[in-house]
């Protein structure tokens, strides 16, 4: 466990934090919101069911430490200016916020007029995409997921490609269609070709899927030609969010050879509105899977535990269902390749990573059938439909279905949570064809 004072499990806020809340005083997530009265988006944190406007704290001069004084990074429509200041500014902000929110600190607690300017009910505000994402890269870092997909398409003996245990495999994704939780999206249309069809046809995708992922965000980047090193890579990571990499499996199947996924992945990628910092996750640091057969090449070899114990869930709610039903329970720690390894590998050619870049993990599947992070695996390519209490079945996602992802690290009497990443699949747009 860490000795950082902001991690103390006994720490309490004067703001009520309901049991099981994702946002106790130990978390201090960062997001961007618009207050109920409107106005420009600005940076906030969350405590219990409340959102706290950090731009008001900034205007009142509370961020007066060496890294943040005079910086004006919170009255902004994205986290990028704050992220670019690096880990010292983030730790300083956490320390100030933790102190101001604590139950024995009177500054805000006893100043009702100021409190009314700072705190809003979470349900009354509009959360925005928190980061201006320049580049988005999606990895494929779960051995279980890669093995499952490989087994379905190539058979058990050739499930993992020869490079998989040596390289954190990834592809360059599309940042323009990354959307904040709660944004609905239309079923995509595209070229597909059934195995027994002679020619492709243009149809609505019949195999829309979710992918349970987590994304991390680059804080301070690196200059072109100056790769990052494994031991300092984490200093360049601002924090993480839940990510749903929506996928159209039938479009993917027809297009992905030889250059990988393209339109199957670019119609929308949902993310949760709160970025959870590495500092908040530090008490939950743990070791990932052993990497000994083969050992990674030296530039990917890390000397310390490099992942986090984060419980993850996916729930599905169809239009005819009374409530969401859990269809997957997984864990971030199952990932074979760590965030540090992904980031270093990405930059090792000299590729410059920039503030706000999003690097997603790939589908996070675990060892058991109920821990698979996509419908493709849960229904084993449609051969084992999921059954729901109202009698409905699903092989893939139906129009009107909402997918809800959530996740948290369990502390001693508190949770450091990620909130939710939700999205609903609407019917195709009418192209008039
Ligand atoms: Ca993916």
């Amino acid at each position: 466990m860490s000795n950082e004072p902001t991690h103390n499990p006994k720490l309490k806020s004067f703001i009520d934090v309901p049991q099981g809340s994702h946002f106790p005083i130990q978390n201090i997530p960062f997001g961007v919101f618009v207050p109920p009265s409107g106005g420009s988006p600005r940076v906030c944190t969350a405590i219990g069911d409340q959102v706290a406007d950090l731009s008001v704290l900034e205007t009142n001069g509370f961020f007066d430490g060496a890294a943040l004084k005079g910086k004006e990074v919170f009255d902004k429509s994205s986290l990028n200016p704050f992220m670019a200041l690096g880990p010292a500014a983030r730790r300083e902000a956490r320390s100030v916020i933790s102190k101001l929110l604590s139950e024995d600190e009177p500054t805000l607690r006893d100043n009702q007029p100021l409190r009314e300017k700072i705190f809003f009910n979470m349900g009354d505000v509009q959360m925005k995409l928190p980061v201006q994402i320049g580049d988005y890269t999606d990895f494929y870092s779960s051995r279980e997921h890669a093995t499952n997909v490989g087994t379905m398409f190539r058979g058990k003996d050739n499930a993992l490609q020869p490079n998989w245990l040596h390289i954190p495999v990834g592809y360059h994704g599309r940042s323009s269609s990354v959307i904040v939780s709660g944004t609905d999206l239309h079923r995509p249309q595209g070229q597909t070709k059934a195995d027994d069809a002679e020619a492709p046809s243009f149809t609505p995708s019949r195999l829309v899927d979710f992918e349970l992922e987590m994304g991390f965000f680059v804080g301070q980047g690196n200059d072109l030609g100056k790769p990052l090193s494994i031991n300092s890579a984490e200093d360049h990571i601002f924090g993480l969010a839940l990510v749903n990499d929506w996928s159209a499996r039938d479009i993917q199947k027809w297009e992905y050879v030889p250059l990988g996924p393209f339109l199957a992945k670019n119609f929308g990628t949902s993310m949760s509105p709160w970025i959870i910092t590495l500092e908040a996750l530090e008490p939950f640091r743990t070791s990932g899977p052993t990497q000994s057969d083969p050992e990674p090449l030296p530039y990917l070899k890390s000397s310390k535990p490099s992942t986090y114990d984060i419980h993850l869930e996916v729930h599905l709610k169809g239009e005819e269902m009374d409530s969401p039903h859990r269809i997957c329970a997984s864990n971030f720690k199952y990932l074979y390749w760590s965030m540090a390894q992904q980031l270093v590998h990405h930059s090792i050619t000299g590729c410059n990573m920039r503030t706000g870049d999003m690097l997603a993990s790939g589908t996070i599947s675990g060892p058991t059938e109920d821990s698979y992070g996509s419908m493709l695996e849960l229904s084993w390519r449609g051969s084992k439909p999921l059954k729901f209490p109202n009698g409905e079945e699903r092989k893939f996602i139906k129009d009107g279905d909402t997918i809800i992802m959530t996740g948290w690290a369990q502390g001693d009497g508190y949770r450091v949570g990620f909130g939710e990443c939700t999205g609903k699949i609407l019917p195709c747009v009418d192209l008039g064809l």
Side-chain angles (χ1 to χ4, degrees):
M1 284 291 280
S2 155
N3 294 319
E4 180 68 34
T6 56
H7 292 151
N8 183 355
K10 300 260 182 293
L11 212 57
K12 285 208 160 39
S13 174
F14 62 86
I15 302 277
D16 181 49
V17 175
Q19 188 73 26
S21 168
H22 282 199
F23 308 114
I25 192 168
Q26 290 82 2
N27 191 341
I28 313 180
F30 293 100
V32 169
F33 84 116
V34 176
S37 59
S40 54
R42 72 284 306 264
V43 174
C44 59
T45 189
I47 178 80
D49 295 336
Q50 302 280 301
V51 164
D53 186 339
L54 297 186
S55 74
V56 177
L57 297 182
E58 186 175 66
T59 308
N60 279 269
F62 291 118
F63 297 110
D64 59 353
L68 281 170
K69 190 169 185 176
K71 296 292 191 214
E72 298 181 9
V73 290
F74 295 129
D75 193 8
K76 294 284 193 298
S77 60
S78 80
L79 291 171
N80 294 47
F82 176 44
M83 295 165 82
L85 295 179
R90 199 166 67 232
R91 289 184 200 122
E92 201 170 286
R94 276 182 64 80
S95 168
V96 169
I97 296 164
S98 177
K99 184 160 188 291
L100 286 172
L101 293 178
S102 65
E103 62 182 346
D104 49 9
E105 171 59 43
T107 309
L108 301 183
R109 187 193 66 196
D110 299 346
N111 188 338
Q112 190 59 29
L114 188 53
R115 278 177 63 166
E116 282 171 17
K117 288 186 190 159
I118 294 169
F119 295 101
F120 301 94
N121 290 325
M122 205 177 271
D124 296 340
V125 307
Q126 194 192 347
M127 295 304 296
K128 310 292 281 186
L129 195 70
V131 181
Q132 193 184 339
I133 302 169
D135 277 295
Y136 158 39
T137 300
D138 197 22
F139 284 88
Y140 192 57
S141 288
S142 155
R143 184 174 185 163
E144 290 82 357
H145 173 69
T147 303
N148 285 341
V149 174
T151 302
M152 280 181 234
F153 292 99
R154 288 184 300 276
K156 218 174 178 116
D157 295 337
N158 301 303
L160 281 188
Q161 297 282 8
N163 60 4
W164 200 92
L165 290 166
H166 299 273
I167 289 176
V169 169
Y171 68 95
H172 289 115
R174 181 79 194 167
S175 59
S176 68
S177 51
V178 179
I179 49 182
V180 73
S181 173
T183 311
D184 299 336
L185 64 173
H186 292 277
R187 177 177 299 273
Q189 301 169 72
Q191 276 200 37
T192 61
K193 183 184 164 300
D195 287 338
D196 55 0
E198 275 187 21
S201 54
F202 184 84
T203 61
S205 169
R206 283 177 290 262
L207 308 180
V208 172
D209 201 353
F210 68 84
E211 289 189 337
L212 169 63
E213 305 197 14
M214 298 203 76
F216 71 86
F217 295 83
V218 174
Q220 281 176 322
N222 61 295
D223 292 334
L224 184 69
K226 298 202 170 141
L228 298 171
S229 69
I230 192 77
N231 290 323
S232 62
E234 285 185 0
D235 293 343
H236 296 264
I237 299 175
F238 180 84
L240 291 83
L242 300 163
V243 169
N244 181 353
D245 179 26
W246 299 96
S247 301
R249 301 293 178 201
D250 40 3
I251 296 173
Q252 186 177 356
K253 185 163 177 271
W254 175 231
E255 75 177 3
Y256 88 104
V257 177
L259 287 184
F262 182 31
L263 307 188
K265 303 279 190 174
N266 76 0
F267 61 98
T269 304
S270 302
M271 68 172 282
S272 51
W274 298 104
I275 311 293
I276 310 306
T277 63
L278 291 197
E279 285 75 29
L281 293 170
E282 188 55 32
F284 311 99
R285 185 182 283 277
T286 187
S287 296
T290 309
Q291 298 180 337
S292 58
D293 185 22
E295 287 198 10
L297 288 171
Y299 78 100
L300 290 172
K301 214 164 182 173
S302 172
S303 52
K304 64 172 185 178
S306 51
T307 191
Y308 301 92
D309 183 354
I310 305 168
H311 174 78
L312 299 168
E313 296 186 351
V314 183
H315 300 246
L316 183 151
K317 186 186 177 299
E319 280 186 324
E320 307 296 319
M321 298 178 193
D322 295 336
S323 57
H325 295 280
R326 193 174 87 175
I327 55 175
C328 160
S330 187
N331 196 299
F332 185 69
K333 70 181 178 186
Y334 294 145
L335 290 169
Y336 187 82
W337 295 107
S338 71
M339 292 186 287
Q341 288 174 319
Q342 292 167 353
L343 186 55
V344 166
H345 184 68
H346 203 313
S347 79
I348 204 65
T349 52
C351 174
N352 49 327
M353 311 304 295
R354 295 180 297 185
T355 299
D357 284 353
M358 177 168 98
L359 279 68
S361 58
T363 308
I364 308 171
S365 293
T368 56
E369 286 183 13
D370 62 351
S371 66
Y372 296 167
S374 64
M375 293 294 275
L376 177 70
E377 295 161 271
L378 289 166
S379 77
W380 207 257
R381 228 176 157 180
S383 66
K384 296 183 194 170
L386 275 69
K387 294 182 169 43
F388 293 87
N390 70 347
E392 285 189 65
E393 293 188 348
R394 289 288 186 285
K395 296 174 179 172
F396 288 90
I397 295 172
K398 200 176 151 184
D399 287 351
D401 285 354
T402 301
I403 296 292
I404 305 140
M405 297 179 174
T406 187
W408 65 85
Q410 184 67 51
D412 180 9
Y414 70 101
R415 278 178 178 178
V416 169
F418 286 78
E420 285 185 350
C421 175
T422 73
K424 181 168 163 178
I425 293 292
L426 304 173
C428 290
V429 292
D430 183 359
L431 297 175
L433 298 172

